[in-house]
Amino acid sequence: RQHLDEVHVLDVEQSEVLPLPEDYFDCITMLDVLEHLILPARVLRTVRRHLRRNGCILLSVPNVRHISVIGSLLLPGRRWTTDGEGLVTDAAHLRFFTVEDLMALLDETDFAVERPVIATHSDRRLPFLCRLVEHLRGMPGLGEARLDQLEMELSIFQYVLRARPRSGARHAPPPSLRLVPTQLPLFHE
């Protein structure tokens, strides 16, 4: 309030309209927000009404398919925990997303994702990840292309993207990813 012209404090999940006109914003940022919402689709529909026709939203969500989560479920002596200290399994997270889940949510709420989607990733050569992928090799329904994609997805920590209100047909193609290394120590055996 000391530095801005206007400040509105409200629970976006309880408000179907914002205290500003529709078609108002050029850009709305929702960085690490969707995973904290009870009804993220409802919130996206609300903010969509307040975006200008050529406006955009900037989103980021952690990837629940990251090896740190999978490892906590598979390895003896580890357990699923919500004390992720701000990482994928943070105690305040109510929703968990894979890239498919995120794309479906945006499709359902009439947003078109701009390509490429930024994907922050950890090292794909982690011994545990390499062994897991090797054990999955030859499983029914997991050809080499799908296995390569899964190995990449297991290394992705977070998705960051820009989306715009869609005016055309639904069901966009899968996103193209631009991998950006993360410096976070996200999983150790």
Side-chain angles (χ1 to χ4, degrees), residues 165-184:
R166 181 185 42 239
S167 57
R170 290 183 116 171
H171 306 295
S176 60
L177 299 177
R178 186 175 119 211
L179 297 176
V180 176
T182 183
Q183 299 303 312
L184 295 171

Side-chain angles (χ1 to χ4, degrees), residues 73-85:
L73 297 171
L74 289 177
L75 291 177
R78 292 186 181 254
R79 62 185 176 85
W80 172 268
T81 177
T82 58
D83 61 1
E85 300 174 6

Side-chain angles (χ1 to χ4, degrees), residues 3-181:
H3 303 285
L4 302 172
D5 295 335
E6 245 181 280
V7 174
H8 300 274
V9 178
L10 64 124
D11 181 346
V12 71
E13 288 202 274
Q14 299 301 317
S15 306
E16 290 190 33
V17 293
L18 302 178
L20 294 163
E22 292 189 5
D23 302 315
Y24 181 81
F25 292 103
D26 293 320
C27 182
I28 295 175
T29 60
M30 300 180 78
L31 306 175
D32 293 320
V33 170
L34 294 179
E35 64 272 18
H36 297 272
L37 300 175
I38 296 169
L39 298 171
R42 180 177 174 188
V43 171
L44 285 171
R45 286 185 187 98
T46 297
V47 300
R48 188 181 187 287
R49 286 194 305 271
H50 292 276
L51 274 177
R52 291 187 175 162
R53 189 173 350 122
N54 61 346
C56 68
I57 56 172
L58 297 176
L59 296 173
S60 66
V61 296
N63 175 27
V64 73
R65 198 175 277 154
H66 187 264
I67 191 64
S68 63
V69 178
I70 303 302
S72 73
L73 297 171
L74 289 177
L75 291 177
R78 292 186 181 254
R79 62 185 176 85
W80 172 268
T81 177
T82 58
D83 61 1
E85 300 174 6
L87 299 175
V88 177
T89 58
D90 187 277
H93 292 181
L94 303 176
R95 301 283 179 192
F96 298 93
F97 296 93
T98 64
V99 70
E100 293 94 351
D101 299 325
L102 181 58
M103 295 302 112
L105 175 64
L106 292 168
D107 191 52
E108 171 191 336
T109 54
D110 290 322
F111 280 98
V113 175
E114 293 187 356
R115 276 132 179 95
V117 171
I118 305 299
T120 63
H121 71 98
S122 50
D123 190 351
R124 288 174 71 170
R125 296 166 306 206
L126 291 169
F128 176 74
L129 177 55
C130 293
R131 284 195 308 271
L132 176 62
V133 169
E134 197 53 42
H135 284 294
L136 294 174
R137 195 170 308 285
M139 283 188 68
L142 270 182
E144 284 302 311
R146 180 63 184 122
L147 196 57
D148 287 344
Q149 180 184 356
L150 178 61
E151 181 180 17
M152 179 184 61
E153 288 179 47
L154 289 167
S155 75
I156 292 171
F157 170 66
Q158 186 173 49
Y159 295 103
V160 182
L161 60 87
R162 180 171 46 196
R164 298 189 183 276
R166 181 185 42 239
S167 57
R170 290 183 116 171
H171 306 295
S176 60
L177 299 177
R178 186 175 119 211
L179 297 176
V180 176

